[in-house]
Amino acid sequence: MTTFREYLERKSSGALEAEAIELSLPEAARPFQGERAGFATRIVACGIDVAIAAIVALGVWVCIFLVKVILSPGTEVTMPSFAWAIIVSYGFTWMYWTMAWATTGRTIGDWMMGLRIVDIHGNPLSWPLSALRSVFCVGFPFGLIWVLFSPSNRSLQDTVLRTSAIYDWAVEIAAVRLPAPDSRQGAPSPGSP
Amino acid sequence: MQYGRVSAQGPGPTDVIFALRVPPAPQGVLGWVGMGARAMVGAGVAVAEGVVSAVSRVVAPPTGALLDATVPVVSDAVVRRLDLRAIVTRALDEMDLTAVVVDRVDLPAVINSALDEIDLTALVVQRVDLGTIVGAALDELDLTEIVMIRTDLKAIVTRALDELDLTEIVLTRADLKAIITRALDELDLTDIVLDRVDLARVVDGALDELDLTQLVIDRVDIDAIVNHVDMVTVVDKVPVVDIANYVIEEIDLPRIIRTSTGGVAADAMDTARLQAHQVDKVSERIVDRIIFRKKRNLDAPGEPQSLVALAEEEAPPQ
């Protein structure tokens, strides 16, 4: 058991922040946080996002079907063509990735696989850059294969737009530690809902 | 008186009887001088008597009775007419009495005999004004200097201390209360203690001897003290946030929250992430081996939120 005196000594030596982070991250994941992610992780995240987009498109398609059935009972329901569904799915995926990367830097797939998209300075992407990268990803998804061969784990889109997908596991409970008394009147803690 | 007889060969009276006055045993140099004078006188008398005896032999054969009758008279007349003082003075001038005494007198025997006869202590007590002598001696002498130079004070004091029970002497003979009272009146004890006492050592020694904890438990009413304490002030000084964070860390609250809220899903997600990362590494190694690449540069700009989140939280508000 750590005594309170030992705790204060660790705090004054600055070792406490790292320990707090360590408390929130699995030990095996600590060494590679911040590195550019590899192909497998990114393809899984991308697959999750595509699956979500497909589910959403399917949902929209089902909703349209139900609305038509309800509004025109007894008549034959004409559904949109498959091409239309694909276009809608692409559009939805582009919009979804643009919003996600420009705001949190993560899509749902990225969040689940512990990824975050950053620009050349390590900041979240701007809206235009995010939209451009989203167009690239939706229009040429095979650019992701370049991650395998890139010396810095960059996809083709990343190489062109100078962005990076890094391992950055979401830390949801880091804010369990209370802020210092003089900073308690500031903004609510990021970990709070 | 001591009498003697000198015999001579010839007709008529041949014996001359002389009488010597035996003086008492001389005392001191003056005594010896007196005895010498008396010896000289005796010798003069004897010479006179010898002269008379010779005259008697020449003039007429006197009888012993006649001599007995006339010699004393003649002796007295001679003695009266002699300037004995001058004789003695001259004899003393010509003689070295000290040498005579040293040569002829058994001084140790004389002194021992005299000392046996005399009670010197009583004599000194009776005849000597000791007070005057001692006073004069003390006036002349610097006793302190003499004692300091000629005395082994350390040995004396050590031996005295060995033989004396000072504590007992002080307790029985000294008016300790008066001594202490007077000493305390004349001394500034505070200054003395501050100047001469190593207070740190004294206090350390006292603290080593005492069980302060037990002393406080026995003698101090802690409840009464606590009742007088302003607890609000105390709590204001307590690092409550630090204590709360310490408790959070000690009970591992983040892990509890993660376990209770995330549960199986969070663990599964962590596992999936780790396995995906391992697949990343394997695939990178395979590709790197194929294209003969030694190492990839995976450092990305900026810091991951998972490592900077806490720092951002604890930064003071702008």
Side-chain angles (χ1 to χ4, degrees), chain A residues 24-79:
Chain A
S24 305
L25 276 175
E27 189 173 353
R30 291 170 204 161
F32 57 83
Q33 295 298 305
E35 290 183 358
R36 290 192 181 92
F39 176 75
T41 303
R42 293 180 67 170
I43 196 71
V44 171
C46 186
I48 291 170
D49 289 337
V50 170
I52 289 171
I55 290 170
V56 170
L58 181 63
V60 170
W61 191 85
V62 170
C63 287
I64 290 172
F65 173 77
L66 291 176
V67 168
K68 283 191 173 182
V69 168
I70 293 169
L71 293 179
S72 306
T75 59
E76 186 180 351
V77 175
T78 305
M79 290 300 296

Side-chain angles (χ1 to χ4, degrees), chain B residues 88-256:
Chain B
V88 170
T89 304
R90 186 169 177 184
L92 290 174
D93 290 341
E94 293 183 0
M95 293 176 67
D96 181 358
L97 270 182
T98 306
V100 170
V101 169
V102 169
D103 289 343
R104 306 281 179 100
V105 178
D106 182 2
L107 287 174
V110 172
I111 292 169
N112 282 333
S113 176
L115 291 174
D116 289 344
E117 294 292 328
I118 296 170
D119 183 355
L120 271 180
T121 307
L123 203 65
V124 169
V125 170
Q126 286 175 1
R127 303 285 180 99
V128 179
D129 183 357
L130 289 173
T132 305
I133 292 172
V134 171
L138 291 176
D139 290 342
E140 292 291 325
L141 297 174
D142 182 353
L143 275 182
T144 307
E145 186 69 20
I146 292 171
V147 169
M148 295 297 290
I149 293 173
R150 307 221 176 171
T151 311
D152 183 358
L153 285 174
K154 188 177 178 182
I156 292 171
V157 172
T158 303
R159 185 163 176 188
L161 290 175
D162 288 344
E163 292 187 0
L164 295 173
D165 183 354
L166 279 181
T167 308
E168 186 64 25
I169 291 172
V170 170
L171 288 174
T172 54
R173 306 217 176 172
D175 183 356
L176 288 175
K177 189 175 178 183
I179 292 171
I180 292 171
T181 303
R182 184 163 177 187
L184 291 176
D185 289 344
E186 294 186 0
L187 296 173
D188 183 350
L189 276 182
T190 307
D191 278 349
I192 291 173
V193 169
L194 289 174
D195 290 343
R196 310 257 178 126
V197 179
D198 184 353
L199 287 174
R201 277 182 59 196
V202 172
V203 173
D204 283 345
L207 291 176
D208 289 344
E209 294 290 323
L210 295 173
D211 182 355
L212 273 183
T213 307
Q214 191 60 45
L215 207 64
V216 169
I217 291 171
D218 292 342
R219 306 277 180 108
V220 179
D221 185 355
I222 296 173
D223 291 337
I225 293 173
V226 172
N227 286 336
H228 283 83
V229 172
D230 181 1
M231 294 306 290
V232 175
T233 307
V234 173
V235 172
D236 282 345
K237 293 184 178 179
V238 172
V240 179
V241 173
D242 283 337
I243 292 173
N245 281 328
Y246 168 66
V247 172
I248 288 169
E249 183 179 310
E250 277 303 301
I251 64 174
D252 199 358
L253 186 58
R255 201 174 300 280
I256 292 172

Side-chain angles (χ1 to χ4, degrees), chain A residues 2 7 10-11 21 23-24 33 36 40-41 111-112 120 147-151 153 167-168 178 184, chain B residues 241-242 245-246 249-250 254 258 273 280 284 287 293 296-299 301 305-307 310 313-314:
Chain A
T2 307
Y7 168 82
R10 287 214 318 275
K11 183 185 177 189
I21 292 161
L23 285 171
S24 305
Q33 295 298 305
R36 290 192 181 92
T41 303
W111 173 77
M112 290 180 73
I120 191 172
V147 173
L148 284 171
F149 304 100
S150 167
N153 276 6
Y167 295 112
D168 190 2
L178 298 174
R184 228 184 295 178
Chain B
V241 173
D242 283 337
N245 281 328
Y246 168 66
E249 183 179 310
E250 277 303 301
R258 190 165 57 221
R273 287 171 173 177
D280 289 342
E284 287 166 13
V287 172
R293 179 188 291 144
R296 296 187 183 217
N297 176 22
L298 303 181
D299 291 337
Q305 289 179 344
S306 55
L307 298 183
L310 184 65
E313 285 167 23
E314 293 191 343

Side-chain angles (χ1 to χ4, degrees), chain A residues 90-107 110 116-120 123-139 157-158 161-164:
Chain A
Y90 270 85
F92 172 77
T93 304
W94 171 79
M95 189 173 60
Y96 161 57
W97 277 347
T98 300
M99 291 179 64
W101 290 337
T103 53
T104 62
R106 310 169 193 267
T107 61
D110 290 340
R116 190 162 63 91
I117 310 301
V118 295
D119 64 10
I120 191 172
N123 299 319
L125 306 187
S126 62
W127 281 96
L129 187 58
S130 181
L132 198 56
R133 188 176 194 274
S134 185
V135 167
F136 259 106
C137 291
V138 171
Q157 295 86 341
D158 289 334
L161 300 175
R162 306 178 75 182
T163 56
S164 301

Side-chain angles (χ1 to χ4, degrees), chain A residues 148-150, chain B residues 286-294 296:
Chain A
L148 284 171
F149 304 100
S150 167
Chain B
I286 291 171
V287 172
D288 290 346
R289 195 167 296 172
I290 291 171
I291 62 175
F292 302 108
R293 179 188 291 144
K294 287 185 178 178
R296 296 187 183 217

